[in-house]
Amino acid sequence: MMRLDNFDLNLLVAFDVLMQEQNVTRAAHRLHVTQSAMSASLKRLRESFQDDILAQHGKRMIPTPFALTMQGEIADKISELRALITRQGSFDPRRSERRFRIAASDYITTVLLAPLLDTLEQDAPLASFTFELPGPESQVALGNGDLDLMFTPEIFLHPDHPHELVFAERHVTVACPENPRVAGGLSRATFLDSGHVGVSVARKQTFADAWLMQNAVERRIEVRVPSFIQAPFLVPGTQRLCVMHERLAHDMAKRLPLKILPVPFPIPPMREMMQFHATRKGDPGLSWLRGKIYEMASRRTPPSA
């Protein structure tokens, strides 16, 4: 019988990542270890549990039935342990060297997190931040407790964890100021007849794309890019239009020749949410950071609001 005092708890972290990746090389990359070290961890897991954990099937590794029954429980325990380790009776931002890991689009990074970091240089000089673009793996990382925060429109929330409203965001259309088609404003006919710059983040629809499609508004996409920041650079000097977040449009209009116009369709405000793991509710460091984010969000109101 395996004894807990003889078991290396780090193997549970290796188990969790191996089950997510089902690939030794990718798991090693995730944990910043060599492939041989990851293979050694898999071997020790097999010896400890007397099970293959991952069985080779052609070029793929398939979890065993035993491993699948353990996966959810081990992921939950790892999240609880991480929360326990990071929990403190108090949090001193002036002295903390904590690294916060955050999933956020380049839109949120530009309009909210970049100006926030400017203030945190004074408030938390030793803290550091890792930002990553959201994707299908972000919800898995949030569920495993690997992320401190995830920013997402309400329709893309993880169903099992707390969330809070950061702000409601309107959408606008941007055009080149010299575009003759919008000299007198933007009509529905011009919107539909014009070429557009579209955005797909991690090959997923954006909030605006999803709403327009659901309401049978078909745009003629001339160029599609993987970044909200790239899109407005493809508008000046052309007759293309681009549907953008209002805050980002005003930020980009300070750098590029852009004309900001209402969208001629009643797109509802997008509720931008901040989400964290359920076990982090009592995390004083995260509570401090969330408070700072709310302060910055209240100061980043678009001019038309």
Side-chain angles (χ1 to χ4, degrees):
M1 181 179 296
M2 179 172 55
R3 291 171 53 91
L4 181 61
D5 52 1
N6 292 330
F7 184 80
D8 181 358
L9 293 179
N10 287 311
L11 290 177
L12 296 183
V13 177
F15 174 92
D16 186 44
V17 176
L18 282 165
M19 289 295 290
Q20 293 176 45
E21 298 294 342
Q22 296 180 24
N23 180 284
V24 172
T25 301
R26 291 198 300 267
H29 179 74
R30 281 268 306 273
L31 291 178
H32 306 289
V33 299
T34 64
Q35 183 173 345
S36 60
M38 198 74 243
S39 295
S41 294
L42 178 57
K43 180 181 178 182
R44 292 174 62 194
L45 281 165
R46 286 168 167 167
E47 293 171 350
S48 298
F49 288 116
Q50 294 295 294
D51 184 85
D52 284 341
I53 307 298
L54 291 172
Q56 196 73 39
H57 182 75
K59 295 183 178 180
R60 299 179 57 201
M61 300 192 81
I62 306 298
T64 65
F66 170 80
L68 289 171
T69 62
M70 296 283 286
Q71 184 178 13
E73 291 184 56
I74 288 178
D76 289 344
K77 297 305 178 187
I78 289 173
S79 295
E80 292 172 10
L81 286 170
R82 283 185 173 132
L84 178 64
I85 291 168
T86 57
R87 188 182 305 151
Q88 301 171 356
S90 61
F91 176 78
D92 184 354
R94 298 287 304 174
R95 296 184 179 183
S96 175
E97 298 181 10
R98 180 167 173 177
R99 176 177 293 276
F100 294 94
R101 183 181 170 193
I102 300 171
S105 68
D106 54 348
Y107 143 65
I108 285 294
T109 300
T110 300
V111 304
L112 182 64
L113 299 180
L116 175 67
L117 290 186
D118 289 341
T119 68
L120 295 188
E121 284 187 6
Q122 300 296 322
D123 297 339
L126 303 179
S128 57
F129 299 82
T130 297
F131 297 152
E132 57 188 65
L133 290 173
E137 68 282 355
S138 299
Q139 289 206 354
V140 175
L142 180 76
N144 292 336
D146 293 334
L147 283 176
D148 289 295
L149 288 174
M150 180 174 72
F151 289 86
T152 180
E154 189 172 31
I155 60 174
F156 302 131
L157 283 168
H158 192 297
D160 300 328
H161 296 286
H163 54 270
E164 300 165 337
L165 176 67
V166 181
F167 50 59
E169 180 72 280
R170 289 186 290 267
H171 281 78
V172 296
T173 308
V174 297
C176 176
E178 299 175 358
N179 183 348
R181 308 192 72 189
V182 297
L186 180 60
S187 67
R188 293 167 64 100
T190 300
F191 182 93
L192 294 173
D193 190 51
S194 296
H196 285 252
V197 180
V199 179
S200 294
V201 179
R203 300 183 180 180
K204 289 176 60 179
Q205 281 188 324
T206 64
F207 173 89
D209 275 348
W211 187 90
L212 290 168
M213 181 173 288
Q214 288 167 8
N215 289 272
V217 179
E218 295 186 11
R219 294 182 296 163
R220 181 163 58 84
I221 303 296
E222 288 188 349
V223 186
R224 188 169 290 280
V225 295
S227 160
F228 293 113
I229 298 299
Q230 288 177 320
F233 282 91
L234 301 175
V235 171
T238 77
Q239 293 189 9
R240 299 187 195 106
L241 305 177
C242 182
V243 176
M244 294 185 61
H245 309 93
E246 187 177 18
R247 286 172 175 81
L248 183 59
H250 283 285
D251 275 6
M252 298 306 294
K254 298 172 185 176
R255 313 173 197 184
L256 297 169
L258 296 173
K259 184 176 185 177
I260 300 176
L261 300 155
V263 180
F265 296 91
I267 300 179
M270 179 186 74
R271 288 167 55 84
E272 186 68 28
M273 313 299 287
M274 177 168 59
Q275 191 163 36
F276 51 92
H277 197 280
T279 60
R280 304 282 176 87
K281 280 186 176 180
D283 181 336
L286 196 57
S287 296
W288 166 83
L289 179 60
R290 285 159 46 209
K292 290 293 182 181
I293 288 169
Y294 290 130
E295 288 178 18
M296 181 55 64
S298 68
R299 291 157 51 187
R300 297 289 294 164
T301 304
S304 62

